[in-house]
Amino acid sequence: MRLRADRPLDLAPATVLDYRELARRRLPRQLFDYIDGGAYEEVTLRANVADLERVLLRQVVMRDVSSRDPAVEVLGQRLALPVILAPVGLGGMFARRAEVQAARAAEKAGVPFIESTVSICSIEEVARATATPPWFQLYVMRDRGYAEELMSRAKAVGSPVLVLTIDLAVVGARHRDTRNAVVGDPSPWAKVLRGLDLASHPHWIRDVPLAGKPLTFGNLERAVPDAGTPAAFREWVDAQFDPSVTWDDIAWVRENWDGRLVVKGVLDPEDARRAVDVGIDAVLVSNHGGRQLDSVPSTARALPDVVDAVGDQVEVLADGGVRTGLDVVKMLALGASAVLIGRAWAWAVAARGEAGVRHVLEVMKADIDVALGLTGHTSFADLDRSTLYQADSPIPRP
Ligand SMILES: Cc1cc2nc3c(=O)[nH]c(=O)nc-3n(C[C@H](O)[C@H](O)[C@H](O)COP(=O)(O)O)c2cc1C
């Protein structure tokens, strides 16, 4: 294995960022950047991580913390730890049937896997591979008939939770995709170089295009007959994402879905109140991992105000920038019931498949265990903002 001075790996991956480095070595540049990148100048992408780093834990010693339990109850389900695998589009391009591999790892760790609308493996394929049905993520599409059909498919495999993503009414620009010639109108020469980028990654070619077929969008086989590529995904997004969507449309989804309903992509307390008014079960504080509107606040920053607005009525989940179990504990101290991880599982599955995702979840669990113990807790039951140093203002305001 080639070692690099900028991120030494030594002999074995120990952290999520080690998996990021392994994924960088293994994936074609265009795919690594698709996972790693964010919108515009990536201000929010960086802030998600930086603001979580600035949240400090309050160490409290000499308590009896001999039996610690990281389990939580979320949306009527017991999670072995407060971590959920976020919906990540095009997963099956990172590793062979990656959604199945990740869902199996999640099941073994006792946490939910959320199947993205734009997955390579269909929801039926994922459900067949696991005993616990995945949660399902849906976009509000122009073609409401198709949305209804997807809800029926999720219901048919027993998905208990629908996660409705509402922060893609218009699509933010991701400059890395343009530079890598996967969107826009690349020159013929840029297309040749893009092909060479793929061709020069033999491990990936063996694992994904050869062993991982078919590379189509498993949930959208009627809507997007083209192979699963960022360009095909972008085309579908441009055609289907509906900028006229309002809270009335969420009410329509509510009427058509009798399981638990989560709205994903809320940053503003007023929006959170509107969501509660239409009868959702949980709000997910998310800026799409810094992939949509840049220069919006990090989720660590936005979360406490949303919790203060609606936390006594519905559950509040959060995602963005979570790379360690300590980040998980910080998000829960800020008021989340559980967090989603996106890039963490995407890098791990790209690097080492199911075993990589399992390892990342084990590492997070071990981090959480230590953080609970050294903040004087034996469970998440009594964890709140008082678990943070500078409890009133964990993140300095500008
Ligand atoms: C490569 C990639 C693809 C994503 N695809 C989707 C998607 O299909 N649907 C969705 O609701 N969110 C999608 N997201 C956003 C994630 O669900 C999640 O909000 C975000 O990754 C959390 O930030 P993190 O990556 O820092 O953990 C995607 C994120 C990434 C990194």
Side-chain angles (χ1 to χ4, degrees):
M1 186 188 299
R2 191 162 53 95
L3 294 182
R4 288 179 54 93
D6 60 343
R7 178 106 209 140
L9 249 192
D10 301 323
L11 296 176
T15 67
V16 165
L17 290 183
D18 289 343
Y19 280 99
R20 174 179 183 269
E21 174 56 20
L22 288 174
R24 196 182 62 72
R25 294 176 192 179
R26 189 166 175 113
L27 289 174
R29 168 82 181 260
Q30 58 201 278
L31 277 170
F32 176 74
D33 275 348
Y34 163 69
I35 299 171
D36 200 59
Y40 301 94
E41 300 309 316
E42 304 187 339
V43 172
T44 297
L45 173 68
R46 287 191 297 277
N48 278 348
V49 173
D51 282 353
L52 263 178
E53 278 176 358
R54 288 160 68 194
V55 175
L56 300 180
L57 294 169
R58 187 169 140 224
Q59 177 167 299
V60 175
V61 295
M62 301 308 286
R63 305 272 171 96
D64 179 0
V65 289
S66 44
S67 65
R68 299 174 302 281
D69 180 6
V72 291
E73 180 124 347
V74 172
L75 293 167
Q77 224 172 301
R78 186 183 179 280
L79 277 50
L81 57 157
V83 174
I84 298 167
L85 270 53
V88 167
L90 290 172
M93 297 299 289
F94 315 152
R96 171 192 333 186
R97 314 314 287 165
E99 293 91 354
V100 163
Q101 298 202 59
R104 284 192 173 132
E107 179 169 54
K108 284 176 188 147
V111 301
F113 170 80
I114 308 180
E115 161 85 352
S116 163
T117 296
V118 287
S119 293
I120 299 296
C121 301
S122 69
I123 187 156
E124 291 83 7
E125 183 180 347
V126 172
R128 274 196 305 275
T130 51
T132 328
W135 297 10
F136 186 67
Q137 175 266 322
L138 184 70
Y139 289 110
V140 195
M141 316 170 189
R142 281 183 207 276
D143 185 346
R144 299 290 150 83
Y146 209 102
E148 233 176 312
E149 189 181 317
L150 286 174
M151 283 190 267
S152 305
R153 286 171 66 178
K155 211 172 296 174
V157 302
S159 285
V161 179
L162 185 74
V163 177
L164 190 68
T165 300
I166 57 174
D167 59 2
L168 251 112
V170 289
V171 184
R174 300 186 192 147
H175 296 324
R176 293 201 212 186
D177 289 348
T178 310
R179 294 188 189 108
N180 289 328
V182 288
V183 297
D185 186 17
S187 67
W189 178 236
K191 284 185 190 163
V192 170
L193 290 180
R194 190 181 69 197
L196 282 177
D197 173 37
L198 298 177
S200 59
H201 289 82
H203 289 299
W204 176 81
I205 289 189
R206 236 188 343 266
D207 191 38
V208 179
L210 295 179
K213 286 187 291 225
L215 296 181
T216 52
F217 291 103
N219 300 317
L220 300 171
E221 58 286 75
R222 272 203 302 106
V224 191
D226 192 1
T229 62
F233 168 51
R234 181 62 198 233
E235 233 169 72
W236 177 78
V237 164
D238 289 344
Q240 275 301 329
F241 286 29
D242 186 350
S244 73
V245 167
T246 67
W247 292 109
D248 292 340
D249 301 278
I250 313 299
W252 172 82
V253 174
R254 175 72 285 180
E255 278 159 28
N256 282 276
W257 177 259
D258 52 15
R260 305 290 179 115
L261 180 61
V262 180
V263 284
K264 175 174 186 284
V266 171
L267 290 175
D268 189 86
E270 190 48 43
D271 280 348
R273 287 191 200 98
R274 298 293 301 272
V276 170
D277 288 345
V278 296
I280 53 90
D281 299 292
V283 169
L284 171 39
V285 175
S286 174
N287 50 37
H288 219 97
R291 299 163 77 80
Q292 273 292 87
L293 182 58
D294 203 14
S295 290
V296 296
S298 71
T299 44
R301 181 86 177 269
L303 175 61
D305 288 342
V306 172
V307 171
D308 290 345
V310 299
D312 56 346
Q313 299 167 71
V314 294
E315 293 187 46
V316 179
L317 309 174
D319 72 20
V322 174
R323 305 288 180 260
T324 70
L326 305 190
D327 293 339
V328 176
V329 173
K330 291 174 186 181
M331 284 288 208
L332 267 75
L334 291 169
S337 317
V339 303
L340 277 61
I341 53 168
R343 292 178 182 85
W345 82 254
W347 290 324
V349 84
R352 295 278 162 90
E354 179 181 335
V357 182
R358 278 195 74 180
H359 186 216
V360 156
L361 290 169
E362 278 161 17
V363 169
M364 284 194 171
K365 188 174 181 182
D367 296 351
I368 289 170
D369 184 56
V370 171
L372 280 179
L374 286 175
T375 55
H377 298 280
T378 54
S379 77
F380 282 105
D382 54 351
L383 191 112
D384 58 23
R385 283 178 215 170
S386 70
T387 307
L388 300 176
Y389 190 73
Q390 293 181 347
D392 289 341
S393 179
I395 300 165
R397 315 235 168 207

